[in-house]
Amino acid sequence: MLTEKHLNAYAQVMIWALDTARRRKLRKGNIVLLQSDPAAAPLAEKIYSLLLRRSLQPVVRWNPTVHMEHDFYALGEDKQLTFHPPGTKELLGALHGAIHLRAPESLVHLRDIRPERISLATLARKPLRDILDAREHRGLFGWTLAMLPTQQMAEAADMDLEAYSRQIVRACYLDSDDAVASWQEVFAAISRIKRWLNGLNPKALHVASENMDLEVSIGERRRWVGLSGHNIPSFEVFLSPDWRGIRGVYFADQPSYRNGNLVSGVRLEFTDGRVSSAQAEQGEAFLRSQVAMDQGAAQVGEFSLTDKRFSRISAFMANTLYDENFGGEQGNCHLALGSSYVESFSGKMDELNTRHKRSLGFNESALHWDLVNTQSKVVTARLRSGKSQVIYENGQFLC
């Protein structure tokens, strides 16, 4: 488990991450939601103290226990699954920041729940996410997310708790003399990569590996983003492509847990921007149920690359936050089915209304599911000049 020193460093990093996720630093009196799994209480307490010392207004919300979450989906009527408590919209509309802490005590407790029941609740929450998205686009809100180790997570990743905890400590630079300074160095390095990629301004990418042959159309008015403070850890550099120009085969060799279901060996074939074939070595029926969640679930919302020089994550962690930032020997790429990130729009956010967003090929969906490939791969940029340039090979950017 994490030591007192690690927890203190983690709390400082999370405050840095929240400040980084906002366009402006938090000011006295700003409202910050601190939402935590019960098992993450040791870190939540440290962060709560720091928020108070900053003269902020923390609002604490605890996530339901494993048994409560299961009963919610198993026993809840449709009206209960889609219910929003009074005041929820008002609170979200007043938030300046949010820190989410995860410490899952089960990955399979929803395994016997019909996927459509979970989808119903997910779709009902989308308007709440839209409130926060709108505030973030106006520069009024920022959020960040982190995870603490649990025995159940370690077992799912086929590790003991000590080894699993070491992965988290190393991934978050909690073993350095100054964890925040270490993150600032990584932030500067990744910022240089983003400037290089945005300077190239490619028209499309070709991604090739042993099991993958994928064409990714970048689209107009796009920019590469990453390490914005939203996730700790975070090493990925990503964008939301024009979903209409995705063609070919994508393969995810990294397993994925979602809503209590383990899915592995995912092979997706895209035709004219949409999934035309969805196969999996394990969990294929669940995969297909997610692709059918709504109109946008069969379309791409994100493409990402992680440079192994920064990520110290070297093992499967059974958690998307870590697995999408896997470093290892070959780095990783991941593709997300579902909703896009409008922060990769290169113009002013107030220009991006729903109609303009759709015209540019930004995808909309209640789903966002990251599927990770850790194989050796070559990513070639098709430049607007007509030339081609390899931008990623052997797990790192070539800049």
PDB file of all heavy atoms in Angstrom, residues 126-127 130-131 133-134 137 222 243-244 340 342 345 348-365:
ATOM      1  N   LYS A 126     -25.841  11.801 -19.430  1.00  0.00           N
ATOM      2  CA  LYS A 126     -25.167  12.638 -20.434  1.00  0.00           C
ATOM      3  C   LYS A 126     -25.497  14.122 -20.291  1.00  0.00           C
ATOM      4  O   LYS A 126     -24.600  14.971 -20.386  1.00  0.00           O
ATOM      5  CB  LYS A 126     -25.485  12.150 -21.842  1.00  0.00           C
ATOM      6  CG  LYS A 126     -24.656  12.865 -22.923  1.00  0.00           C
ATOM      7  CD  LYS A 126     -24.920  12.319 -24.303  1.00  0.00           C
ATOM      8  CE  LYS A 126     -24.015  12.981 -25.330  1.00  0.00           C
ATOM      9  NZ  LYS A 126     -24.217  14.441 -25.396  1.00  0.00           N
ATOM     10  N   PRO A 127     -26.759  14.520 -20.038  1.00  0.00           N
ATOM     11  CA  PRO A 127     -27.031  15.953 -19.852  1.00  0.00           C
ATOM     12  C   PRO A 127     -26.254  16.566 -18.689  1.00  0.00           C
ATOM     13  O   PRO A 127     -25.921  17.760 -18.729  1.00  0.00           O
ATOM     14  CB  PRO A 127     -28.544  15.990 -19.590  1.00  0.00           C
ATOM     15  CG  PRO A 127     -29.071  14.755 -20.242  1.00  0.00           C
ATOM     16  CD  PRO A 127     -28.002  13.729 -20.048  1.00  0.00           C
ATOM     17  N   ASP A 130     -22.883  17.220 -19.956  1.00  0.00           N
ATOM     18  CA  ASP A 130     -22.919  18.362 -20.867  1.00  0.00           C
ATOM     19  C   ASP A 130     -22.808  19.682 -20.105  1.00  0.00           C
ATOM     20  O   ASP A 130     -22.215  20.647 -20.605  1.00  0.00           O
ATOM     21  CB  ASP A 130     -24.206  18.343 -21.693  1.00  0.00           C
ATOM     22  CG  ASP A 130     -24.242  17.199 -22.709  1.00  0.00           C
ATOM     23  OD1 ASP A 130     -23.165  16.632 -23.006  1.00  0.00           O
ATOM     24  OD2 ASP A 130     -25.342  16.878 -23.192  1.00  0.00           O
ATOM     25  N   ILE A 131     -23.384  19.749 -18.914  1.00  0.00           N
ATOM     26  CA  ILE A 131     -23.288  20.964 -18.092  1.00  0.00           C
ATOM     27  C   ILE A 131     -21.827  21.257 -17.763  1.00  0.00           C
ATOM     28  O   ILE A 131     -21.354  22.394 -17.909  1.00  0.00           O
ATOM     29  CB  ILE A 131     -24.114  20.809 -16.800  1.00  0.00           C
ATOM     30  CG1 ILE A 131     -25.600  20.724 -17.113  1.00  0.00           C
ATOM     31  CG2 ILE A 131     -23.829  21.976 -15.837  1.00  0.00           C
ATOM     32  CD1 ILE A 131     -26.462  20.390 -15.912  1.00  0.00           C
ATOM     33  N   ASP A 133     -19.146  20.025 -19.311  1.00  0.00           N
ATOM     34  CA  ASP A 133     -18.406  20.288 -20.551  1.00  0.00           C
ATOM     35  C   ASP A 133     -18.551  21.744 -20.963  1.00  0.00           C
ATOM     36  O   ASP A 133     -17.578  22.395 -21.369  1.00  0.00           O
ATOM     37  CB  ASP A 133     -18.900  19.368 -21.675  1.00  0.00           C
ATOM     38  CG  ASP A 133     -18.465  17.925 -21.506  1.00  0.00           C
ATOM     39  OD1 ASP A 133     -17.557  17.683 -20.677  1.00  0.00           O
ATOM     40  OD2 ASP A 133     -19.024  17.051 -22.186  1.00  0.00           O
ATOM     41  N   ALA A 134     -19.779  22.256 -20.863  1.00  0.00           N
ATOM     42  CA  ALA A 134     -20.018  23.645 -21.258  1.00  0.00           C
ATOM     43  C   ALA A 134     -19.251  24.606 -20.356  1.00  0.00           C
ATOM     44  O   ALA A 134     -18.671  25.595 -20.826  1.00  0.00           O
ATOM     45  CB  ALA A 134     -21.517  23.949 -21.210  1.00  0.00           C
ATOM     46  N   HIS A 137     -15.557  24.473 -21.318  1.00  0.00           N
ATOM     47  CA  HIS A 137     -15.276  25.190 -22.564  1.00  0.00           C
ATOM     48  C   HIS A 137     -15.209  26.692 -22.347  1.00  0.00           C
ATOM     49  O   HIS A 137     -14.488  27.394 -23.058  1.00  0.00           O
ATOM     50  CB  HIS A 137     -16.350  24.868 -23.607  1.00  0.00           C
ATOM     51  CG  HIS A 137     -16.413  23.419 -23.962  1.00  0.00           C
ATOM     52  ND1 HIS A 137     -17.505  22.846 -24.568  1.00  0.00           N
ATOM     53  CD2 HIS A 137     -15.517  22.412 -23.765  1.00  0.00           C
ATOM     54  CE1 HIS A 137     -17.284  21.545 -24.730  1.00  0.00           C
ATOM     55  NE2 HIS A 137     -16.094  21.265 -24.248  1.00  0.00           N
ATOM     56  N   ARG A 222      -8.102  20.791 -36.142  1.00  0.00           N
ATOM     57  CA  ARG A 222      -7.756  19.903 -35.047  1.00  0.00           C
ATOM     58  C   ARG A 222      -6.410  20.294 -34.458  1.00  0.00           C
ATOM     59  O   ARG A 222      -5.564  20.898 -35.121  1.00  0.00           O
ATOM     60  CB  ARG A 222      -7.664  18.448 -35.527  1.00  0.00           C
ATOM     61  CG  ARG A 222      -8.945  17.833 -36.054  1.00  0.00           C
ATOM     62  CD  ARG A 222     -10.079  17.879 -35.040  1.00  0.00           C
ATOM     63  NE  ARG A 222     -11.079  16.858 -35.269  1.00  0.00           N
ATOM     64  CZ  ARG A 222     -12.117  16.977 -36.108  1.00  0.00           C
ATOM     65  NH1 ARG A 222     -12.286  18.072 -36.828  1.00  0.00           N
ATOM     66  NH2 ARG A 222     -13.006  15.992 -36.229  1.00  0.00           N
ATOM     67  N   TRP A 243     -14.418  11.352 -37.470  1.00  0.00           N
ATOM     68  CA  TRP A 243     -14.812   9.939 -37.429  1.00  0.00           C
ATOM     69  C   TRP A 243     -15.165   9.396 -38.813  1.00  0.00           C
ATOM     70  O   TRP A 243     -15.039   8.185 -39.066  1.00  0.00           O
ATOM     71  CB  TRP A 243     -15.979   9.729 -36.468  1.00  0.00           C
ATOM     72  CG  TRP A 243     -17.290  10.352 -36.885  1.00  0.00           C
ATOM     73  CD1 TRP A 243     -17.787  11.560 -36.511  1.00  0.00           C
ATOM     74  CD2 TRP A 243     -18.268   9.775 -37.763  1.00  0.00           C
ATOM     75  NE1 TRP A 243     -19.011  11.789 -37.094  1.00  0.00           N
ATOM     76  CE2 TRP A 243     -19.332  10.707 -37.870  1.00  0.00           C
ATOM     77  CE3 TRP A 243     -18.356   8.580 -38.469  1.00  0.00           C
ATOM     78  CZ2 TRP A 243     -20.460  10.470 -38.655  1.00  0.00           C
ATOM     79  CZ3 TRP A 243     -19.472   8.339 -39.255  1.00  0.00           C
ATOM     80  CH2 TRP A 243     -20.507   9.267 -39.331  1.00  0.00           C
ATOM     81  N   ARG A 244     -15.561  10.284 -39.707  1.00  0.00           N
ATOM     82  CA  ARG A 244     -16.023   9.843 -41.033  1.00  0.00           C
ATOM     83  C   ARG A 244     -14.891   9.278 -41.884  1.00  0.00           C
ATOM     84  O   ARG A 244     -15.142   8.588 -42.874  1.00  0.00           O
ATOM     85  CB  ARG A 244     -16.692  11.024 -41.741  1.00  0.00           C
ATOM     86  CG  ARG A 244     -17.930  11.533 -41.014  1.00  0.00           C
ATOM     87  CD  ARG A 244     -18.386  12.885 -41.535  1.00  0.00           C
ATOM     88  NE  ARG A 244     -17.385  13.931 -41.284  1.00  0.00           N
ATOM     89  CZ  ARG A 244     -17.602  15.227 -41.482  1.00  0.00           C
ATOM     90  NH1 ARG A 244     -18.790  15.636 -41.920  1.00  0.00           N
ATOM     91  NH2 ARG A 244     -16.644  16.115 -41.245  1.00  0.00           N
ATOM     92  N   SER A 340     -16.223  12.246 -28.512  1.00  0.00           N
ATOM     93  CA  SER A 340     -14.959  12.917 -28.817  1.00  0.00           C
ATOM     94  C   SER A 340     -14.633  13.935 -27.741  1.00  0.00           C
ATOM     95  O   SER A 340     -15.464  14.262 -26.880  1.00  0.00           O
ATOM     96  CB  SER A 340     -15.056  13.613 -30.181  1.00  0.00           C
ATOM     97  OG  SER A 340     -16.101  14.566 -30.168  1.00  0.00           O
ATOM     98  N   VAL A 342     -13.713  17.722 -27.410  1.00  0.00           N
ATOM     99  CA  VAL A 342     -13.699  18.950 -28.197  1.00  0.00           C
ATOM    100  C   VAL A 342     -12.507  19.836 -27.849  1.00  0.00           C
ATOM    101  O   VAL A 342     -12.262  20.829 -28.529  1.00  0.00           O
ATOM    102  CB  VAL A 342     -15.015  19.744 -28.039  1.00  0.00           C
ATOM    103  CG1 VAL A 342     -16.174  18.964 -28.616  1.00  0.00           C
ATOM    104  CG2 VAL A 342     -15.278  20.079 -26.573  1.00  0.00           C
ATOM    105  N   PHE A 345     -10.294  20.696 -30.672  1.00  0.00           N
ATOM    106  CA  PHE A 345     -10.692  21.716 -31.649  1.00  0.00           C
ATOM    107  C   PHE A 345      -9.700  22.876 -31.556  1.00  0.00           C
ATOM    108  O   PHE A 345      -9.412  23.381 -30.466  1.00  0.00           O
ATOM    109  CB  PHE A 345     -12.110  22.193 -31.348  1.00  0.00           C
ATOM    110  CG  PHE A 345     -12.586  23.332 -32.202  1.00  0.00           C
ATOM    111  CD1 PHE A 345     -12.676  23.205 -33.575  1.00  0.00           C
ATOM    112  CD2 PHE A 345     -12.954  24.530 -31.618  1.00  0.00           C
ATOM    113  CE1 PHE A 345     -13.133  24.254 -34.364  1.00  0.00           C
ATOM    114  CE2 PHE A 345     -13.404  25.590 -32.391  1.00  0.00           C
ATOM    115  CZ  PHE A 345     -13.493  25.451 -33.763  1.00  0.00           C
ATOM    116  N   LYS A 348     -11.708  28.791 -31.378  1.00  0.00           N
ATOM    117  CA  LYS A 348     -12.290  29.269 -30.131  1.00  0.00           C
ATOM    118  C   LYS A 348     -13.508  28.427 -29.779  1.00  0.00           C
ATOM    119  O   LYS A 348     -14.344  28.134 -30.632  1.00  0.00           O
ATOM    120  CB  LYS A 348     -12.695  30.738 -30.264  1.00  0.00           C
ATOM    121  CG  LYS A 348     -11.516  31.689 -30.470  1.00  0.00           C
ATOM    122  CD  LYS A 348     -11.997  33.132 -30.585  1.00  0.00           C
ATOM    123  CE  LYS A 348     -10.813  34.067 -30.778  1.00  0.00           C
ATOM    124  NZ  LYS A 348     -11.257  35.484 -30.928  1.00  0.00           N
ATOM    125  N   MET A 349     -13.599  28.049 -28.506  1.00  0.00           N
ATOM    126  CA  MET A 349     -14.658  27.134 -28.090  1.00  0.00           C
ATOM    127  C   MET A 349     -16.050  27.705 -28.310  1.00  0.00           C
ATOM    128  O   MET A 349     -17.004  26.964 -28.537  1.00  0.00           O
ATOM    129  CB  MET A 349     -14.468  26.750 -26.619  1.00  0.00           C
ATOM    130  CG  MET A 349     -13.353  25.753 -26.404  1.00  0.00           C
ATOM    131  SD  MET A 349     -13.663  24.200 -27.277  1.00  0.00           S
ATOM    132  CE  MET A 349     -12.100  23.372 -27.043  1.00  0.00           C
ATOM    133  N   ASP A 350     -16.203  29.025 -28.239  1.00  0.00           N
ATOM    134  CA  ASP A 350     -17.538  29.583 -28.418  1.00  0.00           C
ATOM    135  C   ASP A 350     -18.016  29.480 -29.867  1.00  0.00           C
ATOM    136  O   ASP A 350     -19.181  29.735 -30.168  1.00  0.00           O
ATOM    137  CB  ASP A 350     -17.601  31.033 -27.930  1.00  0.00           C
ATOM    138  CG  ASP A 350     -16.567  31.940 -28.584  1.00  0.00           C
ATOM    139  OD1 ASP A 350     -15.909  31.508 -29.549  1.00  0.00           O
ATOM    140  OD2 ASP A 350     -16.402  33.085 -28.113  1.00  0.00           O
ATOM    141  N   GLU A 351     -17.105  29.103 -30.785  1.00  0.00           N
ATOM    142  CA  GLU A 351     -17.501  28.859 -32.174  1.00  0.00           C
ATOM    143  C   GLU A 351     -18.108  27.469 -32.358  1.00  0.00           C
ATOM    144  O   GLU A 351     -18.780  27.202 -33.358  1.00  0.00           O
ATOM    145  CB  GLU A 351     -16.285  28.959 -33.109  1.00  0.00           C
ATOM    146  CG  GLU A 351     -15.555  30.278 -33.109  1.00  0.00           C
ATOM    147  CD  GLU A 351     -14.306  30.204 -33.980  1.00  0.00           C
ATOM    148  OE1 GLU A 351     -14.180  29.253 -34.782  1.00  0.00           O
ATOM    149  OE2 GLU A 351     -13.454  31.087 -33.849  1.00  0.00           O
ATOM    150  N   LEU A 352     -17.835  26.578 -31.395  1.00  0.00           N
ATOM    151  CA  LEU A 352     -18.145  25.163 -31.610  1.00  0.00           C
ATOM    152  C   LEU A 352     -19.532  24.818 -31.066  1.00  0.00           C
ATOM    153  O   LEU A 352     -19.667  24.128 -30.059  1.00  0.00           O
ATOM    154  CB  LEU A 352     -17.066  24.298 -30.950  1.00  0.00           C
ATOM    155  CG  LEU A 352     -16.982  22.846 -31.433  1.00  0.00           C
ATOM    156  CD1 LEU A 352     -16.669  22.782 -32.914  1.00  0.00           C
ATOM    157  CD2 LEU A 352     -15.933  22.088 -30.643  1.00  0.00           C
ATOM    158  N   ASN A 353     -20.563  25.254 -31.759  1.00  0.00           N
ATOM    159  CA  ASN A 353     -21.902  24.834 -31.390  1.00  0.00           C
ATOM    160  C   ASN A 353     -22.162  23.436 -31.929  1.00  0.00           C
ATOM    161  O   ASN A 353     -21.330  22.852 -32.646  1.00  0.00           O
ATOM    162  CB  ASN A 353     -22.946  25.832 -31.900  1.00  0.00           C
ATOM    163  CG  ASN A 353     -22.864  26.041 -33.412  1.00  0.00           C
ATOM    164  OD1 ASN A 353     -22.554  25.120 -34.166  1.00  0.00           O
ATOM    165  ND2 ASN A 353     -23.133  27.267 -33.852  1.00  0.00           N
ATOM    166  N   THR A 354     -23.286  22.868 -31.595  1.00  0.00           N
ATOM    167  CA  THR A 354     -23.571  21.480 -31.971  1.00  0.00           C
ATOM    168  C   THR A 354     -23.519  21.273 -33.481  1.00  0.00           C
ATOM    169  O   THR A 354     -22.951  20.283 -33.971  1.00  0.00           O
ATOM    170  CB  THR A 354     -24.953  21.062 -31.429  1.00  0.00           C
ATOM    171  OG1 THR A 354     -24.948  21.184 -30.004  1.00  0.00           O
ATOM    172  CG2 THR A 354     -25.264  19.630 -31.805  1.00  0.00           C
ATOM    173  N   ARG A 355     -24.083  22.209 -34.218  1.00  0.00           N
ATOM    174  CA  ARG A 355     -24.108  22.063 -35.677  1.00  0.00           C
ATOM    175  C   ARG A 355     -22.696  22.092 -36.260  1.00  0.00           C
ATOM    176  O   ARG A 355     -22.347  21.263 -37.115  1.00  0.00           O
ATOM    177  CB  ARG A 355     -24.948  23.184 -36.275  1.00  0.00           C
ATOM    178  CG  ARG A 355     -25.112  23.107 -37.790  1.00  0.00           C
ATOM    179  CD  ARG A 355     -26.035  24.204 -38.282  1.00  0.00           C
ATOM    180  NE  ARG A 355     -26.183  24.165 -39.730  1.00  0.00           N
ATOM    181  CZ  ARG A 355     -26.921  25.023 -40.417  1.00  0.00           C
ATOM    182  NH1 ARG A 355     -27.581  25.978 -39.786  1.00  0.00           N
ATOM    183  NH2 ARG A 355     -27.001  24.921 -41.738  1.00  0.00           N
ATOM    184  N   HIS A 356     -21.864  23.022 -35.777  1.00  0.00           N
ATOM    185  CA  HIS A 356     -20.492  23.133 -36.285  1.00  0.00           C
ATOM    186  C   HIS A 356     -19.670  21.906 -35.890  1.00  0.00           C
ATOM    187  O   HIS A 356     -18.867  21.391 -36.678  1.00  0.00           O
ATOM    188  CB  HIS A 356     -19.860  24.412 -35.732  1.00  0.00           C
ATOM    189  CG  HIS A 356     -18.552  24.766 -36.377  1.00  0.00           C
ATOM    190  ND1 HIS A 356     -18.274  24.515 -37.700  1.00  0.00           N
ATOM    191  CD2 HIS A 356     -17.430  25.356 -35.863  1.00  0.00           C
ATOM    192  CE1 HIS A 356     -17.061  24.936 -37.985  1.00  0.00           C
ATOM    193  NE2 HIS A 356     -16.524  25.437 -36.894  1.00  0.00           N
ATOM    194  N   LYS A 357     -19.906  21.439 -34.684  1.00  0.00           N
ATOM    195  CA  LYS A 357     -19.210  20.252 -34.187  1.00  0.00           C
ATOM    196  C   LYS A 357     -19.481  19.045 -35.090  1.00  0.00           C
ATOM    197  O   LYS A 357     -18.559  18.316 -35.481  1.00  0.00           O
ATOM    198  CB  LYS A 357     -19.697  19.981 -32.757  1.00  0.00           C
ATOM    199  CG  LYS A 357     -19.006  18.882 -31.994  1.00  0.00           C
ATOM    200  CD  LYS A 357     -19.565  18.883 -30.574  1.00  0.00           C
ATOM    201  CE  LYS A 357     -19.163  17.637 -29.830  1.00  0.00           C
ATOM    202  NZ  LYS A 357     -19.757  17.618 -28.467  1.00  0.00           N
ATOM    203  N   ARG A 358     -20.726  18.870 -35.450  1.00  0.00           N
ATOM    204  CA  ARG A 358     -21.088  17.738 -36.314  1.00  0.00           C
ATOM    205  C   ARG A 358     -20.516  17.907 -37.719  1.00  0.00           C
ATOM    206  O   ARG A 358     -20.088  16.928 -38.342  1.00  0.00           O
ATOM    207  CB  ARG A 358     -22.605  17.599 -36.361  1.00  0.00           C
ATOM    208  CG  ARG A 358     -23.197  17.094 -35.053  1.00  0.00           C
ATOM    209  CD  ARG A 358     -24.713  17.100 -35.070  1.00  0.00           C
ATOM    210  NE  ARG A 358     -25.246  16.592 -33.796  1.00  0.00           N
ATOM    211  CZ  ARG A 358     -26.523  16.683 -33.440  1.00  0.00           C
ATOM    212  NH1 ARG A 358     -27.415  17.232 -34.274  1.00  0.00           N
ATOM    213  NH2 ARG A 358     -26.931  16.208 -32.265  1.00  0.00           N
ATOM    214  N   SER A 359     -20.492  19.146 -38.210  1.00  0.00           N
ATOM    215  CA  SER A 359     -19.977  19.379 -39.562  1.00  0.00           C
ATOM    216  C   SER A 359     -18.485  19.078 -39.660  1.00  0.00           C
ATOM    217  O   SER A 359     -17.974  18.751 -40.736  1.00  0.00           O
ATOM    218  CB  SER A 359     -20.242  20.818 -39.993  1.00  0.00           C
ATOM    219  OG  SER A 359     -19.396  21.734 -39.310  1.00  0.00           O
ATOM    220  N   LEU A 360     -17.768  19.170 -38.535  1.00  0.00           N
ATOM    221  CA  LEU A 360     -16.332  18.893 -38.501  1.00  0.00           C
ATOM    222  C   LEU A 360     -16.017  17.425 -38.198  1.00  0.00           C
ATOM    223  O   LEU A 360     -14.850  17.027 -38.194  1.00  0.00           O
ATOM    224  CB  LEU A 360     -15.653  19.774 -37.463  1.00  0.00           C
ATOM    225  CG  LEU A 360     -15.580  21.269 -37.782  1.00  0.00           C
ATOM    226  CD1 LEU A 360     -15.090  22.053 -36.567  1.00  0.00           C
ATOM    227  CD2 LEU A 360     -14.670  21.524 -38.981  1.00  0.00           C
ATOM    228  N   GLY A 361     -17.039  16.634 -37.928  1.00  0.00           N
ATOM    229  CA  GLY A 361     -16.813  15.212 -37.669  1.00  0.00           C
ATOM    230  C   GLY A 361     -16.405  14.886 -36.255  1.00  0.00           C
ATOM    231  O   GLY A 361     -15.804  13.829 -36.008  1.00  0.00           O
ATOM    232  N   PHE A 362     -16.735  15.765 -35.298  1.00  0.00           N
ATOM    233  CA  PHE A 362     -16.559  15.402 -33.888  1.00  0.00           C
ATOM    234  C   PHE A 362     -17.708  14.496 -33.489  1.00  0.00           C
ATOM    235  O   PHE A 362     -18.879  14.830 -33.697  1.00  0.00           O
ATOM    236  CB  PHE A 362     -16.549  16.651 -32.998  1.00  0.00           C
ATOM    237  CG  PHE A 362     -15.257  17.417 -33.021  1.00  0.00           C
ATOM    238  CD1 PHE A 362     -15.096  18.521 -33.836  1.00  0.00           C
ATOM    239  CD2 PHE A 362     -14.197  17.030 -32.215  1.00  0.00           C
ATOM    240  CE1 PHE A 362     -13.903  19.227 -33.861  1.00  0.00           C
ATOM    241  CE2 PHE A 362     -13.001  17.727 -32.221  1.00  0.00           C
ATOM    242  CZ  PHE A 362     -12.847  18.826 -33.045  1.00  0.00           C
ATOM    243  N   ASN A 363     -17.388  13.363 -32.904  1.00  0.00           N
ATOM    244  CA  ASN A 363     -18.407  12.360 -32.612  1.00  0.00           C
ATOM    245  C   ASN A 363     -19.134  12.657 -31.313  1.00  0.00           C
ATOM    246  O   ASN A 363     -18.571  13.234 -30.376  1.00  0.00           O
ATOM    247  CB  ASN A 363     -17.753  10.972 -32.531  1.00  0.00           C
ATOM    248  CG  ASN A 363     -18.773   9.860 -32.569  1.00  0.00           C
ATOM    249  OD1 ASN A 363     -19.823   9.982 -33.214  1.00  0.00           O
ATOM    250  ND2 ASN A 363     -18.497   8.768 -31.879  1.00  0.00           N
ATOM    251  N   GLU A 364     -20.389  12.231 -31.234  1.00  0.00           N
ATOM    252  CA  GLU A 364     -21.206  12.389 -30.035  1.00  0.00           C
ATOM    253  C   GLU A 364     -21.762  11.032 -29.632  1.00  0.00           C
ATOM    254  O   GLU A 364     -22.287  10.292 -30.458  1.00  0.00           O
ATOM    255  CB  GLU A 364     -22.350  13.364 -30.297  1.00  0.00           C
ATOM    256  CG  GLU A 364     -21.910  14.775 -30.607  1.00  0.00           C
ATOM    257  CD  GLU A 364     -23.086  15.685 -30.913  1.00  0.00           C
ATOM    258  OE1 GLU A 364     -23.589  15.619 -32.051  1.00  0.00           O
ATOM    259  OE2 GLU A 364     -23.500  16.423 -30.008  1.00  0.00           O
ATOM    260  N   SER A 365     -21.648  10.718 -28.352  1.00  0.00           N
ATOM    261  CA  SER A 365     -22.152   9.441 -27.846  1.00  0.00           C
ATOM    262  C   SER A 365     -22.129   9.464 -26.325  1.00  0.00           C
ATOM    263  O   SER A 365     -21.368  10.224 -25.715  1.00  0.00           O
ATOM    264  CB  SER A 365     -21.279   8.282 -28.358  1.00  0.00           C
ATOM    265  OG  SER A 365     -21.673   7.048 -27.788  1.00  0.00           O
TER     266      SER A 365
END
